[in-house]
Amino acid sequence: MSRLVLWNVDLTLVDVSIVTREAYADAFRQVTGRPLVKLTQHNGRPDSEIVFETLAINGIVAEDAHLPRFLDALAEAFAARRKRLAKDGRMMPGAAEALKAVGRLGGTVQSVLTGTIRSNAVHKLEAFKLDRYVDFEVGGYGEEVYPKATLLQVAQGRARQKHGATFDGTNTVLIGDSARDVQAAKIAGASMIAVASGRSLAADLHEAGADVVLPDLSNPSEVVAAVASLTTPTRKAAPAGFSRE
């Protein structure tokens, strides 16, 4: 194995925001006994962080037991709605084709680096039959209380342990849609392919320092070319036609 490609999930591969909001509201009610009034924007942040902010903006003083209880309730509420994901959500343009094409690159391990807790990430990708391309064992997830850059390094370590190969900044690529994803990749020393399919504009992704910025994943050949270029031993400039800072 010679390269590790980590994908963000929400607004990069799928959009299931309606179901996610409902699951958060259900979990909030279970944990606090009160209705959810405000839900903060995710914007590339992990569930572990969003839980505390959601409690705070709804007037709940967080205690140590809140996080595990909330995450358990969130997993249960989301699982109860998993049959609605494909109906009420959508796969982002080109996601399946891009995953399949990148998976054909020799020596490539694909997993996820997501703010979503693991069980919910699996449900999201299973709903759109994207799970077949992903090794969930080596990913990083929202219940793990690490900064995203550290979580990226944790995922590299998991991939190294499973496959017996070295994964570092020279052969790891993160593909995501937010400026926070870009910042995490830069801190961890990994390459970054940003797609302007989420809430961050292409200009914001450029400014954050993404190596490559694409409008979306609808051209799998572009995605593959970018991954291949960024994981060569010399990490040369991106292919012609790509936008780099």
Side-chain angles (χ1 to χ4, degrees):
M1 295 298 178
S2 59
R3 61 172 60 87
L4 175 63
V5 179
L6 298 169
W7 296 81
N8 181 58
V9 174
D10 290 301
L11 300 183
T12 300
L13 296 174
V14 301
D15 179 5
V16 292
S17 54
I18 293 174
V19 176
T20 298
R21 285 195 296 269
E22 290 184 10
Y24 259 92
D26 192 349
F28 185 89
R29 187 184 294 273
Q30 287 186 50
V31 171
T32 69
R34 292 167 45 177
L36 178 67
V37 177
K38 299 178 182 178
L39 177 60
T40 184
Q41 291 286 343
H42 285 213
N43 291 336
R45 294 181 300 166
D47 281 331
S48 57
E49 180 180 329
I50 293 165
V51 165
F52 283 121
E53 185 167 334
T54 297
L55 291 169
I57 64 176
N58 285 276
I60 302 294
V61 177
E63 300 175 356
D64 290 343
H66 271 129
L67 181 60
R69 288 177 57 206
F70 202 116
L71 294 180
D72 286 346
L74 182 62
E76 181 181 340
F78 201 88
R81 293 166 171 82
R82 65 186 182 276
K83 292 183 180 179
R84 290 180 42 209
L85 291 171
K87 176 184 176 183
D88 294 337
R90 63 183 178 120
M91 181 167 57
M92 302 303 287
E97 294 80 5
L99 279 163
K100 185 176 181 180
V102 171
R104 290 198 190 105
L105 281 171
T108 298
V109 180
Q110 294 194 98
S111 191
V112 296
L113 188 74
T114 176
T116 300
I117 61 175
R118 177 171 175 165
S119 61
N120 292 358
V122 172
H123 288 318
K124 290 175 183 182
L125 297 191
E126 282 181 342
F128 298 94
K129 297 182 171 55
L130 300 179
D131 56 302
R132 69 186 78 180
Y133 305 112
V134 171
D135 182 350
F136 290 106
E137 290 183 5
V138 301
Y141 303 94
E143 66 266 38
E144 302 178 272
V145 188
Y146 298 110
K148 204 163 191 178
T150 303
L151 194 57
L152 190 154
Q153 295 170 328
V154 169
Q156 288 174 323
R158 288 170 176 159
R160 185 182 305 118
Q161 184 174 16
K162 180 172 181 177
H163 296 285
T166 297
F167 297 102
D168 55 24
T170 68
N171 61 1
T172 302
V173 178
L174 175 60
I175 303 178
D177 62 87
S178 74
R180 281 176 176 260
D181 292 329
V182 180
Q183 292 160 3
K186 286 175 67 68
I187 293 170
S191 295
M192 180 72 205
I193 300 172
V195 289
S197 55
R199 295 184 178 89
S200 294
L201 300 175
D204 298 327
L205 299 170
H206 279 295
E207 184 176 354
D211 294 288
V212 175
V213 178
L214 301 173
D216 53 34
L217 300 173
S218 59
N219 188 333
S221 296
E222 287 186 340
V223 180
V224 169
V227 170
S229 174
L230 293 168
T231 53
T232 57
T234 56
R235 291 182 65 175
K236 294 179 180 178
F242 286 108
S243 174
R244 298 189 67 163
E245 186 180 36

